[in-house]
Amino acid sequence: MAQFNLLINQKKHEVDVDPTTPLLWVIRDHIGLTGTKFGCGIAQCGACTIHLNGNAVRSCVLPVSAAQDKEITTIEGLSNNNDHPVQLAWVEAQVPQCGYCQSGQIMSAAALLNRNNTPSDLDIDRAMKGNICRCGTYPRIRKAIKSVTKQ
């Protein structure tokens, strides 16, 4: 075990865990933020996507030791009242179906729009290709992202 200082959603947390513990489990089990989901455990589905220093990363394969002293944002920290433009666009475009992948999808979309506020369809496809939606709402996801770019 080792002590780690984490900055999650602008709040400091100190945890005592094995350095190889995936950040996802620290966020969910030690900090208690359960909006970030476990999907595949091998960084293939995107359900566990968070922001690390503003970049979308898969927290299921990221050891907690790699996140110390970096800015971590989870879906709970994306906005105060679920009113981030991407979250609002998600609702407007009726993207959520089963909802399991939504937090990861939204985090990937928000990271894309933070670095490119007018993404092309190809940019969206590239940014979102690591996020799998078993309900197949990809056209609605693209529509939601495009609607944010028009604001």
Side-chain angles (χ1 to χ4, degrees), residues 39-92:
C40 65
I42 55 173
Q44 296 297 304
C45 75
C48 66
T49 303
I50 61 166
H51 293 174
L52 187 69
N53 286 344
N55 297 307
V57 299
R58 307 298 187 249
S59 63
C60 71
V61 294
L62 185 70
V64 66
S65 58
Q68 178 154 303
D69 298 324
K70 295 182 179 169
E71 186 176 331
I72 300 163
T73 305
T74 69
I75 190 73
E76 292 92 341
L78 192 61
S79 66
N80 290 328
N81 300 307
N82 298 325
D83 58 357
H84 186 278
V86 175
Q87 291 171 309
L88 297 175
W90 237 243
V91 172
E92 180 66 27

Side-chain angles (χ1 to χ4, degrees), residues 37-146:
K37 304 300 183 199
F38 173 77
C40 65
I42 55 173
Q44 296 297 304
C45 75
C48 66
T49 303
I50 61 166
H51 293 174
L52 187 69
N53 286 344
N55 297 307
V57 299
R58 307 298 187 249
S59 63
C60 71
V61 294
L62 185 70
V64 66
S65 58
Q68 178 154 303
D69 298 324
K70 295 182 179 169
E71 186 176 331
I72 300 163
T73 305
T74 69
I75 190 73
E76 292 92 341
L78 192 61
S79 66
N80 290 328
N81 300 307
N82 298 325
D83 58 357
H84 186 278
V86 175
Q87 291 171 309
L88 297 175
W90 237 243
V91 172
E92 180 66 27
Q94 299 181 355
V95 174
Q97 295 298 307
C98 81
Y100 198 81
C101 70
Q102 298 309 300
S103 59
Q105 298 274 3
I106 289 169
M107 295 304 285
S108 288
L112 165 65
L113 293 169
N114 282 341
R115 66 178 185 278
N116 179 356
N117 63 6
T118 55
S120 66
D121 287 346
L122 182 59
D123 294 331
I124 294 170
D125 290 346
R126 285 182 178 156
M128 302 303 291
K129 71 179 180 185
N131 291 83
I132 297 172
C133 174
R134 66 183 178 186
C135 301
T137 62
Y138 300 109
R140 292 179 187 182
I141 290 169
R142 180 182 289 163
K143 180 181 175 184
I145 293 170
K146 287 285 193 177

